[in-house]
Amino acid sequence: MEDGASDWPTFAEKARKLLSEDKVATVFGGWTSASRKAMLPVFEELNGLLWYPVQYEGLESSPNIFYTGATTNQQIVPSVDYLLEQGKKKFFLLGSDYVFPRTANKIIKAQLAAKGGETVAEEYTPLGHTDYTTIIAKIKEAKPDVVYNTLNGDSNVAFFKQLKDANIAASDLTTLSVSIAEEEVKGIGPDFLAGHLVAWNYYQTTDTPENKTFVENFKAKYGADSVTSDPMEAGYTAVYLWAAAVEKAGSFDVDKVKEAAKGIEWNAPEGKVTIDGDNQHIYKTVRIGEIQPDGMIKELWNSGSPVKPDPYLKGYDWAKDLSAGS
Amino acid sequence: MAMWITQLFNGLSVSSILLLIALGLSVTFGLMGVINMAHGEFIMIGSYAAYLTQNAFKELLPGRMFDAYFPVALAASFLVAFAIGYLLELLLIRHLYGRPLDSLLATWGVGLVLQQIARSIFGAPNVAVNSPSWLNGGLHVMDGIDLPYKRLFILALVAVCLAAMYLYINRSHSGRRMRAVMQNREMAACLGISTRRVDGMTFAIGSGIAGIAGCALTLIGPIGPNIGTYYIVDAFMVVVLGGVGKLIGTVLGALGIGVFNTMFEWWSTASLGKVFVFLCIVAFLQWKPKGLFAVRTRQLD
């Protein structure tokens, strides 16, 4: 186990150490897109295997990475569709200034343009930005139907605290966030977040027998106060998928495991997931949820069945120009 | 019109927050000359002290008494940061007077250690502090203008801290001793002032004020091991722009940066706004390298 210290070069360095010195069979980890992008060349060069458990901006498919978090067509694209169906046409895009929000918003803008929505403003704040009064004033001025929020980490705390101070409740302004899960709700305080929307593939409240066991075991190990969330579930799933692939391959060899992993199915807490052999992402069910006053997230809508991963959005006409640029 | 008033208020509010985080530094860096990179971590200590106070109240005095936690938390934040600051001065800082580069590296290291300690005790994710209910909501001035009570409270808190500091430095005995030592150490020592004790006290007071800032920031921002790093640059910017060693400089520095930052951000974007502010500061310091207010001394330093 190594700690990347949230420092991108450190991630690459530690990944190299794990692969070339410790000769590990596989690595589970990475958090921000930047950390993944830093490790990617190392894994490709040394033919390692990385399981990346976080939702991300898509437009990537490395032969040495398995992506168990959602790609865009399993989180962002359906959530925008959901909002459009609810009659929300005018979008205010707010994000932290780095690769994930910028790419996500590029996709959202193309999608809105094609489907009759409108981007009224697009704002980015530096990572770690803590004063949102001006942004909130801009939101008031722009009068959007919905704020699509791709802020990262601590900025979310400041944004939602200050939004409430500005006397704007979830009933006045819909927001949909893609980086706030149960763990983050706990750190911000559910008071500030109740009624706001999120999009993920899994919630602690997701109703499957596997999830009941998962939550019970998790609480038994980490205490009754602990909560499970989407990235945790994706990380947990990754370990089981790798184990299944190794068993099927009968070997720890990276190429054999990769070959064996194709089409493996597993009943995860989020429901059935399947590894897509073509792009090494997994089929996942999409879920839109509403944050509750007790800190849990209530599912409002789901995609019914697992959605086939499409990291380059090839199945969407309006997205044709997007993948070309990257 | 409403927008202008709101933005002006936001500018003032940002200034007050900047001033609050810079006040402590204006003592440790401004008066004492210690390049205190651990200043942000004293803010963090204040925030966690507020978190612990809140938890204690939740446990012991639930219900209506809970709202009373905040004044207690302010005091607790000050005391905890004060104590840790005193200890740090005693163990480390006092060996580093007059060695700015060493003190920079050493306090930076201390900052990292404190962050890691916080991460070990409280975990890496943020913790939640519920604001007292009497600070929820805002003052409705006219249509489209709501002034949040928390922002007004921080403005008032800064005013109180400033007044208290002014009185302490300029009117109290220990404040006079403090100024004497900072201005001419040998002479003060000759007159029988224990410069050791004054140094320790001064550093502890600066740290304590950072603690108060940390407690106030729980109202509007995140509470986690990293929060010090978000504020440290702004704090130094304010003190450097204002001119080291003068309270009035720090006040005007904070006001200038806060108002301009808010306006620039309104006209451009958050990132660009910051760039403009930095450019203005750099340009200003070219013109007046000692900042808005420089202390005039006979000493050649």
Side-chain angles (χ1 to χ4, degrees), chain A residues 8-298:
Chain A
W8 308 328
T10 310
F11 267 104
E13 201 181 291
K14 301 272 181 172
R16 185 173 292 278
K17 172 177 175 287
L18 285 171
L19 292 176
S20 52
E21 284 177 34
D22 302 342
K23 308 256 184 255
V24 296
T26 182
V27 176
F28 301 95
W31 182 256
T32 60
S33 290
S35 71
R36 188 192 65 253
K37 296 254 185 222
M39 291 189 286
L40 188 145
V42 179
F43 278 92
E44 293 192 348
E45 180 197 326
L46 301 174
N47 196 25
L49 193 58
L50 171 69
W51 296 77
Y52 178 73
V54 191
Q55 45 80 229
Y56 82 112
E57 70 280 1
L59 307 179
E60 185 182 300
S61 176
S62 161
N64 297 83
I65 302 180
F66 280 89
Y67 306 79
T68 62
T71 179
T72 42
N73 80 312
Q74 297 168 319
Q75 182 187 29
I76 290 170
V77 174
S79 71
V80 171
D81 279 337
Y82 171 83
L83 291 167
L84 287 171
E85 266 166 39
Q86 303 289 310
K88 313 283 182 197
K89 299 276 179 227
K90 287 157 70 182
F91 280 59
F92 191 109
L93 308 181
L94 173 61
S96 295
D97 208 351
Y98 76 111
V99 53
F100 168 68
R102 290 242 174 214
T103 316
N105 286 345
K106 209 162 77 181
I107 293 168
I108 294 170
K109 279 190 294 184
Q111 189 182 0
L112 288 176
K115 298 199 169 172
E118 186 194 344
T119 311
V120 293
E122 186 180 0
E123 289 284 341
Y124 297 96
T125 59
L127 282 166
H129 192 65
T130 49
D131 199 284
Y132 281 89
T133 47
T134 301
I135 294 283
I136 290 167
K138 284 183 179 178
I139 293 174
K140 274 188 181 167
E141 190 89 336
K143 298 198 177 55
D145 296 330
V146 60
V147 174
Y148 200 96
N149 169 25
T150 44
L151 288 177
N152 188 278
D154 295 355
S155 291
N156 274 316
V157 189
F159 175 63
F160 281 102
K161 279 189 176 177
Q162 292 165 23
L163 194 65
K164 195 183 173 204
D165 281 346
N167 225 348
I168 301 175
S171 50
D172 307 317
L173 174 73
T174 308
T175 74
L176 189 139
S177 309
V178 290
S179 303
I180 299 181
E182 286 85 345
E183 182 78 37
E184 285 77 21
V185 173
K186 214 168 104 182
I188 301 174
D191 291 1
F192 296 103
L193 284 169
H196 289 284
L197 304 183
V198 291
W200 289 104
N201 308 100
Y202 163 88
Y203 301 116
Q204 183 172 330
T205 55
T206 297
D207 190 18
T208 62
E210 288 79 14
N211 186 37
K212 215 173 145 241
T213 329
F214 175 54
V215 173
E216 272 170 17
N217 291 345
F218 191 87
K219 284 188 183 289
K221 179 147 171 67
Y222 295 105
D225 284 348
S226 59
V227 292
T228 60
S229 69
D230 184 286
M232 292 179 193
E233 191 266 351
Y236 175 80
T237 302
V239 178
Y240 277 93
L241 288 174
W242 174 71
V246 169
E247 271 172 25
K248 196 170 140 197
S251 155
F252 288 114
D253 180 75
V254 170
D255 293 323
K256 285 185 186 149
V257 170
K258 268 164 56 185
E259 190 52 38
K262 286 180 183 169
I264 280 185
E265 287 181 0
W266 189 63
N267 284 321
E270 68 179 83
K272 195 172 90 177
V273 297
T274 315
I275 297 181
D276 187 323
D278 295 334
N279 51 33
Q280 303 192 153
H281 288 60
I282 63 177
Y283 285 69
K284 292 170 84 77
T285 307
V286 187
R287 295 183 165 92
I288 310 284
E290 185 189 285
I291 299 167
Q292 302 297 303
D294 63 357
M296 287 291 104
I297 297 172
K298 188 177 90 184

Side-chain angles (χ1 to χ4, degrees), chain B residues 248-300:
Chain B
I248 179 78
T250 311
V251 174
L252 290 179
L255 201 64
I257 294 177
V259 171
F260 276 107
N261 200 351
T262 312
M263 290 302 162
F264 286 148
E265 190 181 332
W266 176 250
W267 288 320
S268 60
T269 67
S271 309
L272 220 51
K274 233 175 183 145
V275 173
F276 282 140
V277 169
F278 270 117
L279 279 178
C280 290
I281 293 177
V282 169
F284 184 83
L285 289 179
Q286 290 302 312
W287 175 48
K288 280 197 159 194
K290 294 216 151 185
L292 287 164
F293 287 83
V295 190
R296 285 189 198 86
T297 58
R298 284 157 198 250
Q299 234 175 329
L300 286 171

